[in-house]
Structure formats: structure tokens, C-alpha cells
Amino acid sequence: MSFKPSLILIFILKAFVFISLVTANETIEIGAIIDFNSRIGKEQKTAIDIAVENYNNDRINHKHLMTVHFRNTSKDTIQDFFTAEELVEQNHVKMIVSGMQTWEETALIADIGKRHQVPIISSVTASYTPELVQLKWPFLVQMTSSSLDQINCTSSIVSSYQWRKVIVIYEDDMYSDSSMLAVLTETLRGHGAEIEHQLILPQLSSMSDPREVVRREVVKLLRKQSRVFIVLRSSVSAAGHLFKEAKEIGLMGRESAWILADSLSDLLDSVDTAFLSSIQGALGIKNHYADTTKAFQDFKGQFQKMFRSDYPTEDQSDPGIQALKAYDSITAIAKAVNSLGTKSSNDSVLLKTRILSSNFTGLSGHVSFVSGALSHPPTYRIVNVDGNRYKGLGFWSSKFGFSEVLGEENGERIGVDGSHTMKSSVVKWPGELKRVPKGWAMPTDSKPLIIGVPGRTSFEKFVKVETMAETNERKYSGFCIDLFKEVVKILEQNYTLPYEFEPYNGSYPDLVQQVINGNYDAIVGDITILAERTKYVEFTQPFAESGLTMVVPVKFDRSGMAWMFWKPFTTNMWIATGAVLVYTMLVVWFIEHQSNAEFRGRWKDQLGTAMWFTFSSLFFAHRENIKSNYTKIVLVIWLFLVFVLTSSYTASLTSMLTVPRLEPSVKDLKWIKRTNATVGCDGDSFVKDYLRQVLELQNIKNISNQDDYPKELESGNIKAAFLEIPYQKVFLREHCNQYVKAGPSYRFGGLAFVFQKDSPLARDVSEAILTLTQDGTLNRLEEHWFALSRNCDNADSADETDSLTLGSFWGLYLVSGATSTVCLLFYVYHLFRKSRQLSGPFCDNIVHPSTDQSFWTKTAGIIRYNQNDKPAASLRRLTSARAAGLGVDKRGLSPKWHLVSPSDAAQIFDGSSQHPQLAIEMENVRLE
């Protein structure tokens, strides 16, 4: 008989292991309490066996033998308590690995650890903060991180899909703590959401008929508006009943959303198909672990082989997160034992200290502890249940937010293109919905949207409810009704919106209260947005501005008519006109003074002529002859300016004289308070309380119909009516010549529709109202319902014509002034050139001074020259023939300039010279 070499090798190895175990220096006793009948318990037991086997087989560096005492859990929590005590007292275990799935069971086992100072390692997330857990159970080691990260992840998902109300579901136990629920509440509030309701399921072990109890609790959810459910903490058995009942009553249908915490999502790999079929479309938050490393692949091969051998009836054999954490628990224990050595390895206190000082990368992730819990922030994988499996949508971590893929940097997993919102991943929602669910109880044909409508209104053009005599049916009409129907047309492009109108004959504040109480789902009407109301209801985008104004009768104002001529122009306009007129007058006088005899003479005569000429040009009545071309250019622009000004002035003055000057009979609110005059308002609205509490008016009369306002105002029963701006516009359009607005406006939020608080329909309706505003539909509805009265040409126009301002004419003023200035400069330059042609000592002193004189001295000489009524010298160019006629020396045959005496010059200019030809030549010289 021959032996195979492989069999001989196996025999030798087993013998070596046996001898090593026998000769071990010390045995470490470990207890493990696990549910052998559950899938999680089976995975945990297999993982612990593999970890212990790997440790015991590695005898190179270890001198310890690890032994595990397994105990099965029972349905009785007290029995599990005694089981743990037995392991400590009879089996002398130095630590216990707890495979409990509820925090209540884990807390009882932790009490045993605290009493006997034995470390308890658990993978259940506590209901308390890690600091509080460490204080109450100092020997409890949590192979989980703080639940705060999971709460933040849940809140981020809610915020990504813009859900505003959620329902939290969790299984109760005797160790439940409200602090984590308070943290969830605050975190959701930071994302603009709130918890509408908390559904607390009793412990499954305490229920004789779990199905009936769960069903009775789940039915209560039908009365709630929110359809976003967060299963915060629950066992698999309780969750199975929950989902089955929720599906039967329709809470797993369209517009619903379910978010599962990791206590359930981590088990999706091990639950049966019936469980998965009841949560189709749910979102889950799973603890993510790296499944591509060599260590994981080696463990996976060992796990599948042992699991299939021990549990052949199980459908699949892949390890879950609970198996990985169980393996890492044994690894942490093994590292702690090795670091203590043989003498201190059985010291439980030292073992706990060394375990809490662990720092290694395990199969489930990085393992290190702070306050008795894992310190490394977890990375969650967001999954979506689809069919018999689930698909990944992305990842979330407190470090990078949401990310569709993960990368690696310095040995750590990081998100790529992290974001605070979920990416546009394809999600299979409950009910095969193709869009994001509203997360709200949407109306159906069997349960339509119940909309309250104001039954009695002061202004029926906004809302009017009539009862038809023939059919006894109600007819709803008005601007608000037509607007809502247009909104529904837009909404029905995405989903149907069955609704029913119901009239409400109470006051407006009471109608809003009906929505708060849940009697109505919405209000369609002219409801004013107020700060106090926004705390309890949801308003849509306002479709009309809102504010409170005072309307009073008018009286014709005839005061100030004597000074009406002054009002067409503003004061600045009059000043600018006068300045341009005076400047033009000076320029015309300066240019015409030298060459035009009509602008010469004594100073007062010159000033009078210049002023008369300029003023008469305003009416195109000037008669003075103009000699200079420069003056003509100045006058062309000036006369054009005069034409525009006089035309505008005439039109404005005519308008002011013909349009009636309507003045309010009551100027302001102070007069009302001082005289304690009676005012009127709609007593069914908030206005009465506002007048009494804010404006401090006491004498208030209720007006129930818009037709009663004119009667009360004309009879003097009320001195003023307080109307909201939309009503005021309608009222003045019908009575434009009889009443006016007086005093300031007190602004509010506008008129809008009302929905229940945080209703997603309010957001959709707001978007539809904006669409109708942009495409002009809202304007067309306003023109249809609020058309002008036949007696009013334009009720919105101002009663008074505004005065003309300088801003409309400054361009003309600038052109006129610039033209006058340019012509003046050209004239001065021309005058300066002529002055240089003079010669002789007399002229040199007057017109052509020495070059060492200053600029201002030269300028003064030119001005004196221009101002001489009879020039001291006239220039002539004489030939020898012309000189003979004047008796001038003929020695100078070449042309030259001669100085003529003032008397001779005067004779020449006056035409009295004895030499007519010379007079003509001198005249030509003067006009050049």
C-alpha cells in the first residue's frame, strides 16, 4: 500500500498544529453571543471562525491560543443577559463579541461588561453619542462610528430632492434616546425640512400579534401629508412587517420615497426576495468597504468555502459588512493580545486599553477608536432597490459630500467631483415614477384637492361664488379663479391635479386657519401674504402687489392759479434759461457794437438795445438789423432754442390749465387721528386689526361690499376708506374722477394662493405663476377683469402735469452756449488781426502795444478799440494818384498806410467828405 505525498504532507502539518496547540503558553478565552438562525448570525460565526483559525494557524510570532465560546441568542432579552453572565463567570472569557442586532440587547450585555470589567465588542450603532456611551458603559467597544454621519447623509439626501417634510420610523426599546432624534430634527431644519410625524414601532418581542399592531400604526400615516419615510432604526423582522403593511395600504406607491438607514441597508445582501419586493424603489445607506483588495479577496474565498459547507441551504455566500466587522473585531483582539505578551494577556482592563488604541486597516475599513467608537468618518454608498438586487447611485462622506465615483489619495478613499447634492443618477422610484417624487400626499380622483374659496368678498372681480337657481350648483368666477385654471393647465403637463372648490363664508383669517387645521388643502383667492401667516401655511409666488392705502373724496383746488405761469418750468429750468438769454445778449452786443450803429451810443442805450433785442427775439419780434455773419449764426441757434422752449412752455401751461386739479379732501392720517374721524374697511380681512393695532385708529366701520364705499363716503358716514392696493386700483378705475389716493402706502407681501405648510404644490404653482407672468397671460387676465371705466380715459395717470425739467433741454442749452462762444472767439481773433494792420504812434499805444506788455493789457486794448464809437484811426491803402487828390506828399509812390485825423475819419464815415470816392473806399475798409 502506497501513500500519496500530499496526504503525508497534510498529516505532518496537522501533527505540527496539534503539538503547537498543546505546547501553547496560554489560551485566550473569548465569548460570542450570536443568533445562529439569522443570516447575519451565520455570517458573523463564519467570519469569527476564519479569523480565529487564521490566528491560531499563524504560530511564527504568536505564543497564544485563541478559543471562542459561541452562544445562541434567544428571543428573551433577559435570557441573553444571563447567557453573558455565564460566559464570564463559568467560562472565564476575557472579552465578548456581541452579535446582537438591537441596541437594547447590546446595552444589557454592556452592563455585564461594566460589572465584571470585561470588554464587549459590538457592531450595533448606539442611540447615544459616543461620549455618553463611554460614560455609561466604559467597557463597551463599538465597531461603528457615530450616528451623526449617517444623520447628515440622510438629511443631505432629503435636501437634494427638495423634500420639506419627512416621517421618521424607528423601533422602540428601553434604551432609546431622544437626543439623536433631536440631532436629526436640527439637521433637517438646517436643510429646510422638518419632521412631520414620528412612528414608533413597539418591540417585536412584546407584540402578541405583530402584523395587526404594525398595521394599526401604519394606517395612521395615511392622515399625514408627507410621503417621505426615513426608517432610522429597526430590526429586519419588524421592518418586514412595516414594509408589507405599507405596501398593502398604498404608501409604497407613486409620489412616495423611502430612505433606509444602514441598520437595514447593510443587510440587503442577505435578506430574502420577499423583503426586497416590498421595498422596490427605496433608497438605502450602506457602509462602503473596499472589495478589490487582496486581503478581501482572500477572505472572501475562505468565507464562501466555509459558509457553503456549514449552510448549504443559503442561496448566496458572499460576506456582508457584519461579517467583515466580526473579522476585524477578532483581528483587533489578536493585535491587543500580541502587544501585551504572555503575562498580561488575560488582564481584561489592559486588553480593553490596547483594543481602543488599535490603528490598522481592516476588511471593513480603517480601525481606530475615539471615545470607544470608530474615529474614522465612514463612507456610505447610496443604493437603490431594483428588482431582486440593488444598484449603486453614488457615495457620500462628511469629507466630500456626494460623489458618483471614488478615488484614492494617500491611501484614503476620496470622492471625485464632490457635491452637496445628488448627481442626476437614474433612480427607480416607487410606483415606476419617472421623475422625483413630490414626497407628498398628492390628490387623486377618489381623494381630490379640497380648495377653500372665499364665499363673501368685498370686490367680486377677484372671487365670486354664485348659486345657480336651476341646478343649485355653485359657479365660481373672478380673476383668481381664472388664474388658477391657467395654472392647472401648466401643472397637468407633468401630473394630474384633481381638485374641488368649496366656498367658505367666514372671514379671511378664519379661512387661513382652516388650512392650518387641515380642513382645506389650499385656498384660491385674494389672500394677503403676512409674516405671521407664513409660519403656518405655504404661500405661492404673489400674483398681485399688496399694500394698504387710504382713498378719500376729491375736491377741486383753485389755489395758486395766480402763479400758474411759473409752474411749466422748474426753478432750475428758469435759471438756466435766463443764463443762456443773458449770455446770448452779451455776445450779440459785443459782436455788433463795432460795426452796427444801432448797438452804439451811451452805455444805458447800448444795454437797453441789447436787452430789447434779445427779449423780443423770444417772440420773433426783433427789428434791429444784423451786420455781422457771426451774430447771424448765434441767432439761428438761439431762435431754434426759443422755438422749442416756447412750444414746450405753451403745451405744458395749457395742460395745467385744462386738467382739473383734484386734491384729496383728507390730506393724511394725522388728520384722521386728530379728529377721530370714522374710516371704513373690509371687516372680514386683516385690515381692521391692522388699523386698530398698528395705525392706532379706533373709529372703524365695516364695509362688506365695494358698492357701499361710494355711498358711505358721499354721505359722510366715513371720511376715508382703507383698501389694499389691488382693490384700490379697481375702485379708482371705476370712480377715477371722484376719489383719489391720499397718504403713504403700507406695504405687505402681495396676494397669493395658500397651501399647507411645506407643500410641494406651492412650489409648482409658483413656477406656473411666473410662467404666466412671463408669457403675458397674467396681463391679459388683468385687462379682462380690471378694464377701465367708460368715464375714465386713464385712471392710473397722474392728476397733475409735471413741470419741465432741465434734463430734457440741457443738450439745446449746451449747443446754444457753445455756438455763441465759438462765434465770439472767431470774432475776437478777426478783430485782433485787423488791429495789427494799424500803424503810427497813436495806434501803437492803443491797439498795438509793445510786446513786453501782459496778455491782459493787450486784451484790454482790443476791448477799448472795439468799444470806440468813432474809431481814432481808419486804414486806407492809397496809390500815388489817390494821394494827390488828398494833398499828400507824392514821394512815396509805393503803397503805404497813413493816419487820418478823427475829424476826417468822422467825415468819411458820415459820408460828408469832399471826396466821395475816398469815402466809399474807407467804408469798404471798415466793413472788411
Side-chain angles (χ1 to χ4, degrees):
M1 181 178 180
S2 61
F3 293 94
K4 295 182 179 180
S6 58
L7 295 177
I8 298 175
L9 181 60
I10 292 173
F11 176 78
I12 295 174
L13 289 175
K14 288 186 176 181
F16 178 76
V17 170
F18 175 77
I19 295 173
S20 299
L21 293 176
V22 172
T23 59
N25 293 333
E26 192 171 5
T27 300
I28 305 300
E29 304 289 344
I30 301 174
I33 304 178
I34 294 172
D35 184 4
F36 293 161
N37 299 319
S38 69
R39 168 70 189 214
I40 297 175
K42 295 175 183 178
E43 289 188 12
Q44 288 174 331
K45 184 178 184 305
T46 303
I48 291 174
D49 285 338
I50 293 174
V52 171
E53 182 179 344
N54 290 343
Y55 177 80
N56 290 335
N57 289 341
D58 187 2
R59 303 302 301 155
I60 298 177
N61 299 318
H62 306 312
K63 298 180 180 180
H64 302 87
L65 174 66
M66 191 177 293
T67 303
V68 181
H69 300 273
F70 287 102
R71 295 291 185 273
N72 190 14
T73 61
S74 64
K75 294 182 179 181
D76 187 359
T77 306
I78 302 300
Q79 182 62 42
D80 293 334
F81 176 85
F82 289 117
T83 300
E85 196 167 47
E86 177 188 345
L87 286 172
V88 175
E89 294 179 351
Q90 297 183 12
N91 298 99
H92 306 290
V93 297
K94 302 305 177 183
M95 60 199 69
I96 296 176
V97 177
S98 172
M100 305 295 185
Q101 296 305 305
T102 66
W103 173 244
E104 180 186 17
E105 296 171 327
T106 302
L108 285 175
I109 304 301
D111 285 334
I112 296 295
K114 179 181 178 180
R115 180 188 306 176
H116 296 279
Q117 294 188 344
V118 173
I120 307 296
I121 302 180
S122 170
S123 58
V124 176
T125 302
S127 300
Y128 302 84
T129 60
E131 293 77 12
L132 185 58
V133 171
Q134 190 71 6
L135 183 64
K136 296 184 68 172
W137 297 283
F139 279 84
L140 178 63
V141 178
Q142 300 179 78
M143 287 295 293
T144 59
S145 57
S146 170
S147 57
L148 182 61
D149 288 301
Q150 184 169 197
I151 289 175
N152 288 330
C153 178
T154 303
S155 301
S156 298
I157 294 175
V158 172
S159 175
S160 293
Y161 296 113
Q162 299 182 359
W163 295 318
R164 292 293 173 259
K165 280 188 178 181
V166 301
I167 293 176
V168 177
I169 303 173
Y170 59 94
E171 188 177 358
D172 191 20
D173 59 57
M174 61 183 296
Y175 287 96
S176 293
D177 178 46
S178 59
S179 62
M180 299 313 296
L181 193 61
V183 172
L184 176 61
T185 301
E186 290 299 319
T187 307
L188 287 172
R189 186 175 292 124
H191 289 280
E194 65 176 347
I195 298 176
E196 182 187 14
H197 180 68
Q198 302 174 28
L199 177 60
I200 305 175
L201 296 176
Q203 283 184 289
L204 203 64
S205 58
S206 65
M207 295 184 284
S208 58
D209 188 356
R211 179 179 180 182
E212 181 61 29
V213 173
V214 172
R215 182 178 183 82
R216 187 168 57 249
E217 294 296 324
V218 172
V219 168
K220 297 178 182 178
L221 301 180
L222 291 174
R223 297 193 291 268
K224 305 301 177 182
Q225 289 292 338
S226 176
R227 290 296 180 266
V228 179
F229 305 98
I230 300 175
V231 185
L232 196 59
R233 184 179 66 250
S234 175
S235 62
V236 175
S237 354
H241 288 290
L242 169 68
F243 297 141
K244 183 178 180 181
E245 300 302 326
K247 184 177 181 179
E248 287 183 1
I249 65 176
L251 294 181
M252 284 286 184
R254 299 167 66 88
E255 307 299 347
S256 298
W258 288 77
I259 302 176
L260 312 181
D262 60 352
S263 59
L264 289 176
S265 301
D266 286 339
L267 307 179
L268 292 179
D269 293 311
S270 55
V271 295
D272 54 27
T273 55
F275 186 93
L276 291 176
S277 64
S278 64
I279 56 172
Q280 289 297 299
L283 300 177
I285 302 174
K286 285 175 59 70
N287 284 282
H288 177 66
Y289 53 87
D291 56 359
T292 57
T293 62
K294 183 178 184 302
F296 178 83
Q297 295 297 328
D298 293 342
F299 169 77
K300 182 178 179 180
Q302 289 180 284
F303 184 89
Q304 289 177 333
K305 181 178 180 181
M306 184 178 293
F307 194 82
R308 289 168 184 167
S309 174
D310 294 342
Y311 310 104
T313 58
E314 291 290 336
D315 294 333
Q316 60 97 12
S317 58
D318 290 337
I321 185 65
Q322 295 297 332
L324 303 184
K325 287 185 176 182
Y327 186 92
D328 289 341
S329 299
I330 300 301
T331 303
I333 295 172
K335 290 182 179 293
V337 169
N338 292 337
S339 64
L340 289 176
T342 57
K343 295 183 179 181
S344 304
S345 58
N346 279 315
D347 190 330
S348 299
V349 177
L350 287 177
L351 273 175
K352 186 205 75 168
T353 303
R354 290 303 175 90
I355 290 174
L356 292 179
S357 62
S358 300
N359 188 6
F360 66 94
T361 300
L363 297 179
S364 62
H366 191 78
V367 179
S368 61
F369 298 92
V370 172
S371 299
L374 292 178
S375 61
H376 202 71
T379 298
Y380 293 111
R381 186 185 182 194
I382 313 301
V383 297
N384 178 216
V385 178
D386 185 5
N388 293 330
R389 296 291 296 172
Y390 60 83
K391 60 181 179 181
L393 302 178
F395 303 90
W396 184 92
S397 171
S398 58
K399 291 184 176 180
F400 53 77
F402 290 104
S403 178
E404 291 187 347
V405 294
L406 288 179
E408 189 167 325
E409 183 178 301
N410 299 326
E412 291 188 5
R413 294 188 296 270
I414 61 169
V416 179
D417 297 328
S419 172
H420 293 293
T421 57
M422 291 276 287
K423 299 290 185 180
S424 57
S425 303
V426 179
V427 181
K428 178 184 178 182
W429 297 106
E432 302 292 338
L433 193 63
K434 301 301 181 182
R435 54 172 174 80
V436 177
K438 296 297 180 183
W440 196 260
M442 296 294 287
T444 60
D445 292 333
S446 59
K447 189 179 179 181
L449 195 72
I450 305 301
I451 300 176
V453 177
R456 60 175 194 234
T457 59
S458 297
F459 289 82
E460 295 180 343
K461 287 192 174 183
F462 286 89
V463 177
K464 184 177 181 180
V465 181
E466 300 175 283
T467 302
M468 310 304 293
E470 300 82 5
T471 60
N472 203 29
E473 294 182 354
R474 293 188 179 94
K475 178 183 178 182
Y476 300 89
S477 60
F479 169 77
C480 296
I481 301 298
D482 286 356
L483 176 60
F484 182 74
K485 290 179 180 179
E486 294 293 333
V487 167
V488 171
K489 291 180 182 178
I490 295 178
L491 297 182
E492 288 182 343
Q493 297 176 5
N494 297 318
Y495 54 86
T496 59
L497 188 68
Y499 65 89
E500 289 182 1
F501 287 139
E502 284 192 7
Y504 183 79
N505 293 319
S507 66
Y508 277 65
D510 291 342
L511 177 57
V512 175
Q513 188 64 41
Q514 295 299 314
V515 176
I516 299 174
N517 296 338
N519 297 328
Y520 290 142
D521 298 315
I523 300 174
V524 170
D526 45 344
I527 308 298
T528 304
I529 301 175
L530 299 177
E532 184 65 23
R533 292 174 177 176
T534 57
K535 299 177 182 178
Y536 308 104
V537 295
E538 200 76 26
F539 283 96
T540 64
Q541 172 77 17
F543 53 79
E545 64 174 330
S546 179
L548 193 61
T549 60
M550 183 172 66
V551 176
V552 298
V554 300
K555 63 179 181 179
F556 291 95
D557 180 23
R558 301 189 182 277
S559 62
M561 296 295 290
W563 298 98
M564 184 63 69
F565 71 90
W566 184 263
K567 291 190 176 181
F569 288 169
T570 61
T571 302
N572 290 338
M573 184 73 173
W574 281 115
I575 293 173
T577 303
V580 174
L581 186 146
V582 171
Y583 182 66
T584 304
M585 176 189 72
L586 293 175
V587 171
V588 170
W589 169 80
F590 188 83
I591 296 176
E592 289 296 316
H593 173 75
Q594 174 68 23
S595 60
N596 196 334
E598 296 183 18
F599 288 86
R600 292 202 301 271
R602 292 178 300 174
W603 271 104
K604 60 180 181 180
D605 295 335
Q606 296 181 42
L607 180 61
T609 302
M611 292 182 63
W612 169 254
F613 174 81
T614 309
F615 274 102
S616 61
S617 66
L618 293 174
F619 312 99
F620 306 98
H622 51 285
R623 297 180 180 179
E624 290 75 10
N625 294 321
I626 300 302
K627 302 297 183 181
S628 175
N629 289 331
Y630 296 121
T631 307
K632 294 176 181 178
I633 296 174
V634 171
L635 287 179
V636 168
I637 303 302
W638 167 250
L639 291 176
F640 179 74
L641 173 62
V642 168
F643 172 76
V644 173
L645 289 179
T646 54
S647 301
S648 301
Y649 179 86
T650 302
S652 181
L653 182 60
T654 302
S655 177
M656 290 182 176
L657 292 174
T658 55
V659 174
R661 293 176 54 77
L662 303 180
E663 293 291 335
S665 58
V666 177
K667 291 291 185 180
D668 51 33
L669 189 64
K670 293 180 180 179
W671 185 90
I672 297 288
K673 291 182 177 180
R674 186 172 60 253
T675 60
N676 195 27
T678 304
V679 299
C681 71
D682 183 3
D684 289 334
S685 70
F686 74 98
V687 175
K688 184 176 181 179
D689 292 335
Y690 185 85
L691 295 179
R692 195 181 303 277
Q693 298 172 8
V694 180
L695 301 185
E696 299 178 349
L697 300 180
Q698 301 302 323
N699 204 354
I700 304 172
K701 185 174 183 179
N702 294 340
I703 309 296
S704 59
N705 191 281
Q706 70 179 83
D707 296 330
D708 294 336
Y709 283 102
K711 299 176 183 178
E712 297 292 332
L713 288 168
E714 291 173 3
S715 63
N717 293 335
I718 61 174
K719 296 297 183 181
F722 281 87
L723 303 174
E724 292 187 67
I725 289 179
Y727 309 144
Q728 170 242 309
K729 289 183 176 180
V730 173
F731 184 78
L732 292 183
R733 286 189 175 193
E734 296 180 354
H735 309 279
C736 56
N737 295 325
Q738 298 170 298
Y739 305 96
V740 294
K741 169 184 169 295
S745 297
Y746 305 93
R747 294 287 178 176
F748 301 111
L751 299 185
F753 299 144
V754 178
F755 287 85
Q756 292 190 357
K757 188 65 176 176
D758 297 319
S759 170
L761 289 176
R763 183 171 60 249
D764 294 345
V765 172
S766 294
E767 294 176 359
I769 291 175
L770 289 175
T771 301
L772 296 174
T773 303
Q774 295 172 4
D775 64 15
T777 303
L778 188 61
N779 288 335
R780 290 192 293 271
L781 290 176
E782 289 178 351
E783 292 172 359
H784 172 71
W785 284 102
F786 310 130
L788 290 173
S789 171
R790 295 180 180 180
N791 298 325
C792 302
D793 293 331
N794 188 0
D796 294 330
S797 63
D799 291 335
E800 296 185 6
T801 302
D802 293 333
S803 300
L804 299 175
T805 63
L806 182 61
S808 303
F809 298 95
W810 70 268
L812 275 176
Y813 287 145
L814 179 63
V815 171
S816 177
T819 303
S820 300
T821 302
V822 171
C823 290
L824 178 63
L825 293 176
F826 272 104
Y827 173 74
V828 171
Y829 174 72
H830 180 68
L831 188 64
F832 180 74
R833 288 189 59 189
K834 287 178 62 177
S835 69
R836 293 177 60 90
Q837 297 175 358
L838 298 176
S839 61
F842 183 78
C843 292
D844 288 340
N845 291 331
I846 296 178
V847 185
H848 194 61
S850 60
T851 57
D852 58 350
Q853 291 180 329
S854 67
F855 169 78
W856 295 110
T857 303
K858 297 177 181 180
T859 303
I862 294 175
I863 293 175
R864 285 196 298 272
Y865 168 74
N866 184 65
Q867 289 178 349
N868 278 325
D869 291 340
K870 295 181 179 181
S874 298
L875 300 178
R876 300 182 297 170
R877 172 166 275 177
L878 303 175
T879 60
S880 58
R882 295 173 183 170
L886 290 171
V888 181
D889 188 3
K890 298 181 180 179
R891 289 174 298 176
L893 297 178
S894 62
K896 63 180 181 179
W897 298 102
H898 286 267
L899 185 65
V900 182
S901 66
S903 60
D904 291 340
Q907 293 176 3
I908 294 172
F909 282 110
D910 292 340
S912 59
S913 173
Q914 298 177 358
H915 305 279
Q917 181 63 31
L918 182 59
I920 294 173
E921 290 181 2
M922 291 303 298
E923 182 69 16
N924 293 335
V925 170
R926 191 168 67 90
L927 294 175
E928 286 181 356

